[in-house]
């Protein structure tokens, strides 16, 4: 088990004074949300505007074979009107989106709510003109440009279902998602600049169209000005179709349970799943978590560095913040371009108050030392967030001390594409944090720790098992697109009556939750179960180590042996001596049982495009089964795998 008896970081009295929620209020609201979900959500559902108010709140069933999830089912609304129209009266001139392009050339744009309205209405009319209507699917394959947000909101406005495909994906991945949803329109750009290099998205889309089996149109946003080829009749420039189009498109009245979007999971554990989210519950929950988790106040500039191709971008760049009338930053580039100070420069330039990123980015920047952070004035920062993977205490402490100067609460948010919004997270004015723990459930969330084998509920503190959720919350996924059976089999079959998260977890003596990694990743060494996260954290706590990934390999005596892939910090070289030192280090940190059997130096680790380490691939490499790597379509840099195979130990 990770060391849980560590010093807690209490929110400062000054922070608590201005926070939406303090510790007592959290207790009170949490209790109310569990004892009376209908009353609690009936009240908080009103935070968004309904065309026809709901009379029913929760109607959900987790019974395997008949899983059915409905929230606010008889209410009607329009999500885009909630994110735009209702703000125009009071904050039409306020900035909705600050767009920061890849090049650091001062051409950042401030898009006001009035301008957002005009862009989205026009975009919506263009889509209508292309024959897109209620319930039709639209695939969005765009770089991080404002048009990505316009496109999503335009779909929401006319009741079309969007499916955003990350712009780093291949033509094949794009084609399979277009085919899978029979999308009428695909939206792309000529090219997308990232880190100073332009990817021709239009070329990728052209290649994808060779494999698209139905009649679809391609709408192209002009971004990079690169040369592209053109198919008359099929391809259309957005700016041409927008010319002369009205900027008034009445919002469709949508049922709360009509689908809003389809989005695929990251593919860390296997085949990505096409997650379906609906309108009402999703917007209520994402806007509420955005406000409470980040302690967002009117006037704050909020920045989530995710890509809109991931759920984090959907819920916490676009829908949650805009429903709250916030100012949200959208960044086109990468953390290390033109140099490793880029994030911090943007924070300084735009006086960012809430900053939300992933452990992978924090570790990468930590590897570059403190210099690039210290160059900038980060006094505007109030809250720091993280999402995507367990964060090692080492990286947490660096984030806290070097970025936050010890004065910004850190919210480690555990959630999934499937959950739509934050599930376990500190609230910055309410929760004393412990580095590496996602702490406590958000309102309405009932986590349970189950024994992995028997499925029985483990009560009390100091227990470890698999994480499941006992009852529904408003932004829960409703189904796998076109495959309700798969939905039930994946999440409700193994542990009857619960939503199974596929993550391992422990609950400590304070009732705090610690995600120990994916269930598939749990090691069993001589009968001892260990989470990969724990051994990785021990490795990363050594000053020479930047990043580590741990997997089990079959072992005749122990059942499994511990195989570690280690990337070093800038300025450190691999050596046999260092290997021994790391073995001793893990032994001292955790115990003799956790001593690594193999340590392979890894210049890079295989990651999903959303930055998660793909341990399933590392397991195959370590076990010499690299002929069967499985689905690698969501891998960011396939080349790193070749290096790992070539240098495999345990031959
Ligand atoms: P797939 O389901 O296709 O294998 P994925 O699980 O990586 O892909 P996502 O929905 O993007 O797809 O990621 C959710 C997962 O990310 C969680 O189940 C958990 O394993 C991990 N995760 C997210 N946030 C945290 C966090 N704060 N702490 C620990 N783990 C996290
Ligand atoms: Mg998953």
């Amino acid at each position: 088990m990770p060391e849980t008896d560590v010093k807690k970081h209490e929110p400062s009295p000054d922070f608590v004074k201005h926070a939406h929620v303090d510790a007592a209020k959290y207790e009170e609201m949490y209790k109310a949300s569990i004892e009376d979900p209908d009353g609690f959500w009936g009240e908080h559902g009103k935070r968004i505007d309904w065309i026809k108010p709901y009379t029913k709140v929760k109607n959900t069933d987790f019974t395997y074979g008949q899983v059915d999830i409905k929230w606010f089912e008889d209410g009607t609304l329009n999500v885009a009107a909630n994110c735009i129209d209702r703000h125009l009266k009071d904050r039409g001139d306020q900035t909705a989106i600050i767009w920061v392009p890849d090049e650091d050339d001062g051409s950042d744009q401030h898009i006001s709510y009035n301008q957002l309205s005009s862009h989205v209405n026009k975009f919506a009319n263009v889509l209508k003109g292309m024959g897109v209507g209620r319930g039709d699917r639209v695939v969005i394959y765009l770089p991080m440009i404002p048009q990505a947000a316009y496109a999503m909101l335009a779909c929401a406005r006319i009741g079309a279902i969007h499916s955003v495909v990350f712009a780093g994906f291949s033509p094949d991945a794009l084609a399979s998602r277009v085919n899978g949803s029979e999308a009428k329109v695909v939206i792309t750009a000529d090219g997308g600049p990232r880190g100073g290099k332009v990817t021709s998205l239009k070329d990728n889309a052209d290649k994808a169209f060779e494999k698209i089996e139905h009649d679809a149109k391609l709408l192209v946003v002009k971004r990079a000005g690169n040369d592209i080829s053109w198919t008359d009749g099929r391809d259309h420039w957005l700016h041409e179709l927008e010319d002369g189009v009205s900027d008034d498109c009445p919002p469709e009245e949508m049922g709360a349970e009509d689908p809003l979007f389809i989005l695929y999971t990251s593919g860390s554990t296997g085949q990505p799943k096409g997650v379906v989210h609906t309108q009402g519950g999703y917007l209520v929950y994402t806007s509420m978590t955005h406000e409470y988790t980040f302690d967002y106040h009117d006037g704050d500039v909020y920045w989530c560095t995710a890509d809109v191709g991931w759920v984090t971008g959907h819920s916490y760049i676009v829908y949650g913040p805009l429903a709250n009338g916030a100012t949200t930053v959208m960044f086109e580039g990468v953390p290390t371009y033109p140099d490793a100070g880029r994030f911090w420069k943007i924070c300084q330039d735009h006086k960012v108050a809430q900053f939300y990123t992933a452990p992978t980015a924090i570790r990468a920047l930590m590897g570059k030392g403190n210099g690039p952070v210290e160059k900038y004035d980060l006094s505007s920062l109030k809250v720091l967030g993280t999402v995507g993977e367990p964060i090692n205490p080492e990286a947490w402490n660096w984030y806290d001390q070097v970025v936050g100067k010890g004065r910004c609460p850190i919210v480690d948010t555990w959630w999934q594409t499937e959950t739509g919004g934050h599930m376990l997270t500190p609230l910055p004015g309410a929760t004393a944090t412990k580095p590496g723990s996602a702490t406590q459930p958000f309102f309405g969330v009932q986590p349970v720790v189950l024994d992995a084998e028997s499925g029985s509920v483990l009560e009390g503190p100091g227990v470890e098992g698999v994480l499941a959720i006992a009852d529904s919350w408003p932004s829960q996924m409703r189904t796998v697109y076109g495959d309700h059976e798969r939905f039930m089999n994946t999440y409700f079959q193994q542990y009857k009556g619960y939503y199974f998260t596929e993550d391992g977890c422990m609950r400590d003596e304070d009732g705090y939750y610690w995600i120990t990694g994916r269930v598939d990743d749990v090691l069993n060494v001589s009968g001892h179960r260990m989470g990969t996260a724990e051994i990785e954290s021990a490795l990363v706590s050594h000053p020479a180590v930047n990043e580590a990934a741990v997997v089990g390999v079959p072992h005749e005596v122990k059942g499994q042996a511990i195989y570690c892939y280690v990337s070093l910090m800038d300025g450190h070289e691999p050596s046999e001596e260092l290997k021994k030192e790391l073995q001793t280090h893990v032994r001292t940190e955790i115990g003799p049982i956790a001593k690594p059997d193999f340590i392979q130096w890894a210049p890079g680790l295989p990651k999903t495009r959303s930055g998660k380490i793909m341990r399933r691939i590392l397991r195959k490499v370590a076990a010499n089964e690299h002929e069967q790597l499985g689905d690698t379509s969501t891998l960011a840099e396939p080349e790193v795998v070749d290096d790992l195979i070539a240098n495999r130990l345990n031959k």
Side-chain angles (χ1 to χ4, degrees):
M1 284 199 195
E3 202 195 322
T4 56
D5 187 16
V6 292
K7 184 181 148 275
K8 284 193 201 169
H9 296 243
E10 301 281 347
S12 74
D14 198 44
F15 191 99
V16 175
K17 205 161 58 195
H18 301 286
H20 292 306
V21 178
D22 62 13
K25 189 155 177 216
Y26 169 77
E27 291 301 332
E28 178 196 311
M29 285 176 74
Y30 183 72
K31 192 159 171 269
S33 73
I34 301 305
E35 286 175 357
D36 178 17
D38 279 295
F40 183 88
W41 291 111
E43 197 50 41
H44 288 282
K46 295 183 198 151
R47 59 181 292 118
I48 63 170
D49 285 356
W50 297 84
I51 299 170
K52 182 162 130 319
Y54 48 85
T55 63
K56 294 187 196 146
V57 178
K58 180 176 184 285
N59 180 7
T60 64
D61 187 351
F62 276 10
T63 314
Y64 179 68
Q66 57 190 56
V67 177
D68 191 19
I69 294 151
K70 295 194 196 91
W71 285 86
F72 312 109
E73 60 189 289
D74 59 346
T76 63
L77 75 163
N78 185 278
V79 166
N82 268 285
C83 291
I84 305 169
D85 307 31
R86 67 171 177 153
H87 306 312
L88 297 181
K89 190 165 138 287
D90 295 327
R91 54 175 101 231
D93 292 327
Q94 182 204 301
T95 301
I97 299 176
I98 299 177
W99 180 64
V100 181
D102 186 50
E103 281 309 327
D104 184 19
D105 59 4
S107 63
D108 303 6
Q109 289 175 18
H110 284 75
I111 298 140
S112 69
Y113 274 96
N114 280 328
Q115 289 165 329
L116 179 65
S117 169
S118 154
H119 287 300
V120 169
N121 277 276
K122 282 191 167 193
F123 209 129
N125 279 328
V126 166
L127 290 176
K128 268 189 173 170
M130 294 176 88
V132 178
R134 228 184 139 96
D136 289 338
R137 276 80 55 209
V138 172
V139 165
I140 301 175
Y141 182 66
L142 284 174
M144 284 289 287
I145 52 178
Q147 286 80 2
Y150 305 161
M152 292 163 75
L153 291 163
C155 289
R157 193 159 192 94
I158 63 175
I161 303 168
H162 60 69
S163 168
V164 181
V165 177
F166 174 55
F169 279 161
S170 65
D172 280 356
L174 175 61
S176 78
R177 285 155 173 74
V178 177
N179 285 329
S181 64
E182 289 178 72
K184 272 196 176 165
V185 170
V186 177
I187 307 173
T188 192
D190 49 356
R194 254 182 124 228
K197 288 194 274 299
V198 173
T199 310
S200 178
L201 296 177
K202 174 69 166 68
D203 276 0
N204 287 351
D206 288 339
K207 288 195 194 101
F209 265 83
E210 289 168 15
K211 299 196 173 161
I212 291 173
E213 292 147 2
H214 59 281
D215 209 18
K217 293 199 166 83
L218 185 58
L219 182 61
V220 188
V221 179
K222 196 171 185 96
R223 164 63 186 115
N226 49 313
D227 286 337
I228 54 172
S229 57
W230 201 257
T231 305
D232 284 327
R234 184 196 75 187
D235 299 351
H236 304 270
W237 282 113
L238 175 69
H239 60 266
E240 286 179 3
L241 296 191
E242 270 186 347
D243 196 29
V245 155
S246 156
D247 63 1
D248 180 20
C249 174
E252 277 285 318
E253 179 172 354
M254 303 303 290
E257 285 301 338
D258 288 331
L260 176 63
F261 64 81
I262 306 166
L263 182 64
Y264 287 83
T265 57
S266 298
S268 310
T269 53
Q271 204 65 30
K273 300 162 276 264
V275 167
V276 175
H277 281 291
T278 56
Q279 320 254 336
Y282 175 79
L283 199 66
V284 167
Y285 196 85
T286 52
S287 70
M288 184 157 173
T289 43
H290 171 260
E291 180 180 344
Y292 285 83
T293 303
F294 300 110
D295 198 47
Y296 186 85
H297 290 260
D298 258 359
D300 287 342
V301 174
Y302 158 90
W303 180 20
C304 164
T305 71
D307 192 281
V308 286
W310 313 122
V311 72
T312 310
H314 283 57
S315 300
Y316 298 113
I317 295 178
V318 179
Y319 290 115
L322 295 177
N324 289 339
T327 299
T328 177
V329 177
M330 228 177 141
F331 175 44
E332 185 180 38
V334 298
T336 48
Y337 181 79
D339 58 49
R342 188 71 193 276
F343 272 4
W344 322 122
K345 180 167 191 295
I346 296 171
C347 286
Q348 170 183 287
D349 286 354
H350 296 290
K351 302 202 165 40
V352 171
Q354 291 89 6
F355 176 75
Y356 189 31
T357 195
T360 180
I362 299 169
R363 287 191 299 258
L365 294 172
M366 182 172 81
K368 309 279 178 201
N370 301 353
V373 191
E374 283 161 0
K375 263 174 73 183
Y376 298 99
D377 174 6
L378 298 181
S379 57
S380 60
L381 288 175
K382 295 200 264 193
V383 175
L384 300 174
T386 144
V387 57
E389 282 197 293
I391 178 164
N392 332 97
E394 200 64 18
W396 196 102
N397 285 320
W398 184 83
Y399 202 26
D400 178 48
Q401 289 302 313
V402 179
V403 179
K405 321 288 180 222
R407 38 161 214 92
C408 303
I410 294 183
V411 288
D412 175 357
T413 60
W414 174 86
W415 59 295
Q416 312 177 297
T417 312
E418 295 90 336
T419 70
H422 303 148
M423 299 292 281
L424 298 173
T425 178
L427 299 187
T431 319
T433 52
K434 296 185 188 185
S437 168
T439 74
Q440 301 205 313
F442 192 76
F443 307 128
V445 174
Q446 295 187 48
V448 286
V449 183
L450 303 179
D451 178 75
E453 266 81 59
S454 69
S456 58
V457 178
L458 302 174
E459 305 278 1
V463 291
E464 180 162 7
V466 303
L467 178 63
I469 313 291
D471 201 357
S472 185
W473 63 98
S475 66
Q476 180 170 24
M477 79 183 276
R478 302 305 197 244
T479 193
V480 169
Y481 186 73
D483 196 350
H484 201 64
E485 281 296 307
R486 184 171 177 208
F487 175 56
M488 290 195 286
N489 292 340
T490 310
Y491 305 103
F492 297 93
Q493 185 177 34
Q494 199 162 343
Y495 302 105
K496 298 284 184 312
Y498 296 98
Y499 166 78
F500 174 42
T501 67
E502 304 184 290
D503 282 343
C505 116
M506 64 152 303
R507 186 169 53 226
D508 73 11
E509 56 281 9
D510 291 315
Y512 279 28
Y513 292 85
W514 299 71
I515 303 297
T516 49
R518 294 159 193 281
V519 169
D520 297 357
D521 292 336
V522 172
L523 307 181
N524 196 329
V525 182
S526 309
H528 295 263
R529 294 170 64 80
M530 263 181 289
T532 47
E534 192 182 359
I535 307 174
E536 288 162 7
S537 287
L539 286 163
V540 175
S541 72
H542 187 282
V545 177
N546 183 218
E547 201 159 34
V550 174
V551 298
V553 283
H555 186 279
E556 279 179 16
V557 182
K558 300 201 271 187
Q560 278 187 314
I562 301 175
Y563 195 112
C564 310
Y565 298 85
V566 171
S567 309
L568 296 176
M569 291 275 195
D570 279 7
H572 290 269
E573 293 303 321
S575 70
E576 280 308 307
E577 243 176 291
L578 181 56
K579 232 181 228 186
K580 292 223 173 63
E581 202 178 306
L582 291 178
Q583 284 176 319
T584 317
H585 180 72
V586 175
R587 212 190 138 99
T588 343
E589 291 282 302
I590 307 177
I593 189 76
K595 182 175 160 224
D597 298 281
F598 302 96
I599 295 182
Q600 177 175 346
W601 306 116
L605 294 171
K607 292 189 183 160
T608 63
R609 309 278 179 129
S610 53
K612 299 163 196 285
I613 298 170
M614 276 214 215
R615 291 182 192 76
R616 70 177 160 88
I617 290 188
L618 293 171
R619 251 194 324 265
K620 294 280 183 197
V621 173
N624 199 14
E625 290 168 2
H626 50 261
E627 306 302 325
Q628 322 139 32
L629 287 185
D631 185 347
T632 52
S633 67
T634 63
L635 202 56
E637 296 172 277
E639 325 72 78
V640 306
V641 179
D642 300 333
D643 175 274
L644 297 177
I645 294 172
N647 295 299
R648 186 175 65 82
L649 309 167
N650 184 29
K651 294 202 180 144

